[in-house]
Amino acid sequence: MIFVSRIFLEIFLPLTVVLFYCLRIGNARLAALSLLGASFVFCSVNGLWQAALLACSILFNFGIGAALSRTPNDRTFVRRAVLILGIALDLTALGYFKYAGFFVANLDAAFGLRLTHPQVVLPVGISFYTFTQIAFLADVYAGRGPSRHSLSNYALFVTYFPHVIAGPIIHWRQMMPQFARLSAPGSKLLGSPEHREAICRGLTLFGIGLAKKIFIADQLAPFVDKGYAATGALGFADAWLLSLAYSFQLYYDFSGYCDMAIGASLLFGVQLPFNFDGPYRASSIQEFWRRWHITLSNWLRDYVFIPLGGSRGGTAKRLRNLFATFLLGGFWHGAAWTFVLWGALHGLAYSVHLLWQRIPYRLPAPAAVALTFLFVNAAWVFFRAPELGSALNVLSAMASPMRAGHALPPEAWLLIGLAGLPIWIAPTSQQLALETKIGISPLTASLVGACLLLAILACNTSAPSPFLYFNF
């Protein structure tokens, strides 16, 4: 089930909200359980076996977390062994479903083993709920967050439908106090000014995300698909048009999804972490990763970079740990060498940036923003290309001003311009929906959001297209 489908917009979400608040009036615990049931229904749409796999993952990690909580801190070896077991089996499941075909294909190509390539269907959301649960185990092991937890609360934490498919990646210590408040008898959740404000702003944010997806990302998609289907025919202008179209499509698609996820969650009074903060306005690659897919960046920092040694041990070790973290981040996105190369490019750029900081010279801000975006835009070519040859075709055309081509219509530049302008000059969606400093009251925001949502529903007569990050 995707957020832009009619079944979600017109049936699932309204019914879930109505059922939750009807039950919340009489029994807070039942209201929380209704969210858990709705989340499992949401996850079952892609196949009952995927919901069963998710349930098994929840039971396993809940058991590992309980074992870590019960084991005394002075039994370090036992606790560490339990943690390693839990993480190893989580990564084994993720590795089988996401990377088995990749490894078999590469072994076959390298050694001519004539192996049978496994036909494995990737369960939707497995990367996100695996990373969420690994973070949970690491937090319990380190003593961060509550030591006691119920199975139903933990299951809601993992399956909570606004985030389970494509994030944001959430943490136990961030979310469980909010879920506990939902199920607490006598809570002042209903009717409070804070709750009404959350609903108003949730509607606004959901409407903004829906507009990003339908009016911008989905309009750019045909140009991107057409261009990457014929990379050998691209001219100089075509290649730049294609690269910019995908950079904007990916941003509007994924940030639109996250806006909708955060907005839908606010309808229940639950705040998910933000995932975007004007990333293409960044003046360095370091700043870009503080603004793009923020929850993944934080996860990689806390659970990969720091355990590898972080910044300890001198510059060489810091750069090594940084590069390894970006390689893993690239490989996490997909089982292809193009993703690995994309991660390596960002790791290299980040390393160059850290070394550049030692030089007492700074580029003017506009030049720094332009340079950062140009690098990010070029690196996205590897992220989108179906294979390495296609990516090199696009980049070669981008570097050949005299190359002619007619793969993409020139009028697409108008759409690119209209899509690009708000990225640099308009307030971000969170500013529009959640920050009162720009003068939008909750009432005004809710009215704008509701009107926008109704307008989109009225014109959304085409078949919905999946969000790009569903593939990861």
Side-chain angles (χ1 to χ4, degrees):
M1 192 184 306
I2 60 176
F3 289 169
V4 292
S5 64
R6 286 189 174 276
I7 190 173
F8 180 85
L9 293 169
E10 299 176 6
I11 299 175
F12 179 84
L13 184 60
L15 286 181
T16 301
V17 171
V18 169
L19 178 62
F20 173 79
Y21 284 110
C22 286
L23 292 174
R24 187 66 181 75
I25 294 171
N27 190 310
R29 185 62 182 162
L30 277 180
L33 289 175
S34 74
L35 274 183
L36 175 59
S39 296
F40 264 105
V41 170
F42 181 85
C43 296
S44 301
V45 170
N46 290 306
L48 290 177
W49 73 271
Q50 294 197 29
L53 176 67
L54 175 57
C56 290
S57 177
I58 289 170
L59 290 172
F60 170 75
N61 283 280
F62 177 80
I64 294 293
L68 288 171
S69 297
R70 289 194 300 265
T71 305
N73 290 335
D74 57 359
R75 301 183 66 184
T76 305
F77 176 79
V78 174
R79 298 186 84 246
R80 186 173 298 169
V82 171
L83 175 67
I84 291 173
L85 173 65
I87 293 177
L89 290 180
D90 280 335
L91 292 178
T92 298
L94 178 62
Y96 171 73
F97 284 106
K98 193 166 184 176
Y99 303 106
F102 173 79
F103 285 120
V104 169
N106 280 277
L107 285 173
D108 198 7
F111 302 105
L113 301 177
R114 297 184 179 179
L115 299 172
T116 301
H117 293 199
Q119 301 299 315
V120 181
V121 176
L122 179 66
V124 176
I126 189 171
S127 296
F128 287 91
Y129 66 70
T130 297
F131 272 29
T132 294
Q133 295 188 100
I134 287 175
F136 161 74
L137 296 181
D139 287 347
V140 172
Y141 176 80
R144 297 187 291 261
S147 59
R148 294 182 180 180
H149 39 274
S150 69
L151 178 58
S152 60
N153 280 347
Y154 178 73
L156 178 58
F157 159 71
V158 178
T159 64
Y160 188 47
F161 75 86
H163 90 95
V164 66
I165 301 297
I169 299 172
I170 59 176
H171 292 272
W172 171 264
R173 60 185 181 274
Q174 295 172 329
M175 302 306 299
M176 289 320 299
Q178 298 189 72
F179 289 142
R181 188 170 66 249
L182 285 184
S183 59
S187 169
K188 295 182 179 179
L189 170 69
L190 295 176
S192 66
E194 295 80 7
H195 184 232
R196 292 196 299 270
E197 183 174 310
I199 292 177
C200 291
R201 295 183 170 181
L203 284 172
T204 304
L205 198 54
F206 191 91
I208 291 171
L210 196 52
K212 284 182 178 180
K213 169 65 174 171
I214 293 175
F215 291 151
I216 306 179
D218 285 358
Q219 306 312 310
L220 291 168
F223 299 112
V224 174
D225 294 341
K226 182 179 180 181
Y228 275 101
T231 57
L234 296 174
F236 176 72
D238 293 324
W240 276 99
L241 175 63
L242 178 60
S243 67
L244 291 171
Y246 182 68
S247 292
F248 296 159
Q249 180 201 7
L250 183 63
Y251 168 72
Y252 282 111
D253 191 278
F254 192 26
S255 69
Y257 171 88
C258 291
D259 289 343
M260 295 176 75
I262 297 168
S265 185
L266 283 171
L267 299 181
F268 305 99
V270 175
Q271 175 72 65
L272 293 177
F274 295 123
N275 223 15
F276 289 88
D277 184 20
Y280 291 158
R281 302 175 187 182
S283 59
S284 70
I285 198 65
Q286 182 181 44
E287 186 183 355
F288 172 79
W289 281 106
R290 290 174 178 170
R291 292 169 171 259
W292 176 277
H293 206 342
I294 297 169
T295 58
L296 176 63
S297 299
N298 292 342
W299 194 98
L300 291 170
R301 179 198 64 204
D302 295 341
Y303 302 106
V304 179
F305 178 68
I306 292 176
L308 283 174
S311 300
R312 301 186 301 273
T315 300
K317 289 184 178 179
R318 181 187 184 187
L319 296 181
R320 178 203 64 190
N321 298 337
L322 186 69
F323 193 77
T325 301
F326 273 101
L327 276 181
L328 178 63
F331 197 44
W332 174 83
H333 280 88
W337 288 113
T338 49
F339 290 111
V340 175
L341 184 54
W342 171 79
L345 288 172
H346 275 272
L348 180 61
Y350 207 118
S351 300
V352 170
H353 167 72
L354 293 179
L355 295 174
W356 176 266
Q357 286 185 314
R358 300 185 174 190
I359 301 173
Y361 174 76
R362 295 292 178 268
L363 290 173
V369 171
L371 182 62
T372 302
F373 175 73
L374 287 173
F375 167 78
V376 170
N377 180 68
W380 283 139
V381 173
F382 290 100
F383 195 85
R384 172 57 177 85
E387 39 81 27
L388 187 59
S390 296
L392 295 178
N393 284 341
V394 177
L395 292 172
S396 175
M398 291 172 66
S400 305
M402 303 307 294
R403 182 180 298 183
H406 304 285
L408 296 174
E411 59 267 22
W413 283 106
L414 176 60
L415 181 57
I416 294 295
L418 293 175
L421 248 131
I423 287 176
W424 284 285
I425 67 172
T428 65
S429 52
Q430 342 11 333
Q431 288 175 326
L432 284 171
L434 304 176
E435 293 185 11
T436 56
K437 67 182 182 182
I438 62 172
I440 297 182
S441 68
L443 177 60
T444 304
S446 65
L447 290 174
V448 171
C451 292
L452 181 59
L453 182 57
L454 290 173
I456 295 171
L457 287 174
C459 70
N460 184 25
T461 57
S462 59
S465 61
F467 289 90
L468 296 178
Y469 257 72
F470 281 19
N471 297 320
F472 307 131

